[in-house]
Amino acid sequence: EDSIEIHKTGSIWTAHMLEDFQNEQGYDISSYLPIIAGMSASSSTGQDTGRVKEDYNLVLGHLYSSDHADVIKDWTASFGCTYRAQAYVLTGLDVAGAAAAVDIPEGDNSTSGDGIRNLASAANIADKEYLSMEALTSASDHPVWFEALREINGNLSDGINRIILHGTPFTKSYTDVNNAWPGWTFMSYGCWAPRQPFWEDMDTISNYFGRIQTVLQDGTAKIPVAILNDQTSAYNCLNGDSFDKLLDNGYTYNILSEVVLEEEGAVAKDGVLCPDGPAYQAMILNSIENISCETLEKINSYADAGVKIYVYNSSPSKVYGTEKEGNNDALVAELYSELIAKDGVTVISDSDADAAQQTLLDQLKADKVEPGASYDCDGLEVTRLTDPADGTNYYFFFNESYEGA
């Protein structure tokens, strides 16, 4: 299933939205419909109308999983198949959480870098066999192998373990008009077909993919650092490398979400989060303002279990959505105060991004958080995997620069 690309002029609605909203949020939304419709309005009850809209977003995200992903996954399982999907973007839908809800999560060109690391957190914590990639989505009609492999190797380094090349040209266009060589291509992207002169190289390239993917699929990725962003950012596709200084020093990272932390494997023991999977040694709370009390309680428990916690340019102060018993701003403040008072919790606050990352890097080293490999080289990334049968370590290095490392 391709990415969620909803084109609409109004708000999303369902036949049972009123009932579903009542069940999920505990109140009747009917009197707030002008707000949901996007009209400028205030509440006579004093309710924060922005937070009502956030409740609506949360219900949409929940319905995607319960009434879409779960239904399709059960249907495909009934005849022995699996469900592969690019489960993004929808306001209120936790991208990594949605990835955990399908059998095979998949990314595309909109999820490069941190976007893949976000999907990888779901694949690693939920123990998915595959993290697929609709690769080279924006490739031209005449791709250069050097550039194509550079992009794909970057995808593999970020967490992908199954490459699917995007685009096969048709001999005719959808209007039944014959197209000139190499054939009609959707949006002129991708021409992976025998009519291309480079096709004689495909065996060499696909065999390379096969060898790398065998190790990536069979091994267990060991990721030193887990990053948790503000709850609102979990609803968007990420890209780029937000913590490049960590990567340049061997500290591979996944970007988690609150929904992913609900997975059965998201437990901490002896200073390690998800010990049977990625085995995160440290968690960074990155630029967080919105966070649920349930998640803060879990992070407190992780700190108690010895996981190193770094509060990085964060000031958790409110929940997303309306305040409720057990999930409100006052409890957020109380739980956050408990957290920063614990041993093994470090607060880093610096408006200078480079200085803040350097402080974080120095603290990781001081706290003896072990990187995937030890080096200091701009543009170099490493992925460490272990063989679950005998514990052998395998290393995948990716150099994103044009200079030798």
Side-chain angles (χ1 to χ4, degrees):
E1 183 178 73
D2 204 355
S3 52
I4 304 170
E5 297 170 22
I6 297 175
H7 302 276
K8 60 186 180 65
T9 56
S11 300
I12 299 173
W13 200 254
T14 72
H16 304 289
M17 175 60 81
L18 293 177
E19 178 183 347
D20 290 331
F21 190 96
Q22 178 77 50
N23 292 337
E24 285 295 313
Q25 296 298 325
Y27 66 94
D28 184 4
I29 197 179
S30 59
S31 59
Y32 299 100
L33 293 183
I35 297 164
I36 303 304
M39 298 173 63
S40 178
S42 60
S43 170
S44 60
T45 64
Q47 182 68 276
D48 185 330
T49 55
R51 291 195 172 195
V52 171
K53 187 66 178 289
E54 290 173 351
D55 284 345
Y56 162 77
N57 293 338
L58 291 172
V59 172
L60 288 181
H62 173 79
L63 290 176
Y64 172 87
S65 296
S66 64
D67 289 25
H68 182 81
D70 290 350
V71 173
I72 296 177
K73 187 165 65 173
D74 290 345
W75 172 64
T76 55
S78 70
F79 48 86
C81 290
T82 54
Y83 173 38
R84 173 168 59 94
Q86 298 169 13
Y88 49 82
V89 173
L90 176 69
T91 303
L93 177 63
D94 184 303
V95 173
V102 302
D103 294 312
I104 302 174
E106 182 171 277
D108 68 357
N109 64 309
S110 65
T111 58
S112 61
D114 281 357
I116 294 175
R117 297 183 184 101
N118 189 209
L119 299 176
S121 72
N124 291 332
I125 295 176
D127 195 25
K128 303 287 185 181
E129 183 177 3
Y130 301 116
L131 177 54
S132 179
M133 183 69 174
E134 182 188 5
L136 300 175
T137 315
S138 299
S140 68
D141 291 353
H142 313 290
V144 177
W145 279 123
F146 174 78
E147 294 295 342
L149 287 175
R150 184 171 181 268
E151 180 174 329
I152 289 175
N153 282 332
N155 297 156
L156 297 171
S157 177
D158 296 335
I160 297 297
N161 66 11
R162 188 173 187 242
I163 293 294
I164 299 174
L165 296 178
H166 172 274
T168 298
F170 296 87
T171 56
K172 294 183 179 182
S173 72
Y174 62 91
T175 57
D176 204 34
V177 176
N178 284 308
N179 279 41
W181 174 90
W184 179 77
T185 59
F186 172 69
M187 297 176 66
S188 298
Y189 290 155
C191 290
W192 308 101
R195 292 189 294 276
Q196 292 282 47
F198 61 69
W199 200 252
E200 63 185 32
D201 297 322
M202 279 306 297
D203 280 350
T204 300
I205 299 301
S206 60
N207 287 340
Y208 167 74
F209 292 159
R211 291 191 300 272
I212 297 297
Q213 289 179 165
T214 296
V215 176
L216 295 177
Q217 291 171 12
D218 290 347
T220 301
K222 298 299 180 182
I223 312 295
V225 176
I227 296 173
L228 182 68
N229 290 338
D230 186 272
Q231 188 172 359
T232 56
S233 74
Y235 308 139
N236 302 304
C237 284
L238 307 174
N239 53 68
D241 303 327
S242 56
F243 286 85
D244 54 338
K245 196 175 291 290
L246 299 191
L247 297 174
D248 292 344
N249 287 267
Y251 286 100
T252 313
Y253 60 86
N254 279 172
I255 296 183
L256 280 57
S257 71
E258 296 199 24
V259 175
V260 167
L261 290 177
E262 296 173 7
E263 289 293 320
E264 185 177 345
V267 295
K269 181 180 179 181
D270 299 329
V272 176
L273 175 60
C274 308
D276 297 328
Y280 307 113
Q281 304 164 55
M283 172 178 277
I284 300 170
L285 308 187
N286 178 41
S287 303
I288 290 180
E289 181 182 11
N290 297 267
I291 191 169
S292 73
C293 293
E294 181 181 5
T295 298
L296 259 182
E297 288 172 348
K298 288 178 182 177
I299 295 171
N300 271 281
S301 72
Y302 298 157
D304 291 338
V307 178
K308 299 298 182 183
I309 307 293
Y310 303 90
V311 180
Y312 184 86
N313 287 335
S314 291
S315 183
S317 60
K318 61 181 181 178
V319 298
Y320 184 84
T322 56
E323 297 184 80
K324 300 175 177 67
E325 184 178 357
N327 192 50
N328 52 68
D329 298 350
L331 186 53
V332 166
E334 179 182 332
L335 291 169
Y336 178 57
S337 295
E338 292 178 11
L339 178 67
I340 60 176
K342 294 181 184 294
D343 292 336
V345 176
T346 302
V347 177
I348 298 171
S349 181
D350 195 325
S351 59
D352 184 316
D354 287 339
Q357 281 203 40
Q358 186 61 55
T359 300
L360 174 61
L361 177 62
D362 293 342
Q363 193 64 50
L364 287 168
K365 293 178 178 179
D367 290 340
K368 295 183 171 51
V369 175
E370 295 292 333
S374 295
Y375 59 83
D376 182 356
C377 182
D378 291 350
L380 187 62
E381 299 178 16
V382 64
T383 301
R384 180 171 73 92
L385 303 105
T386 62
D387 186 331
D390 60 14
T392 300
N393 287 322
Y394 295 87
Y395 297 86
F396 180 77
F397 286 94
F398 169 61
N399 180 9
E400 69 173 359
S401 74
Y402 291 93
E403 303 296 328

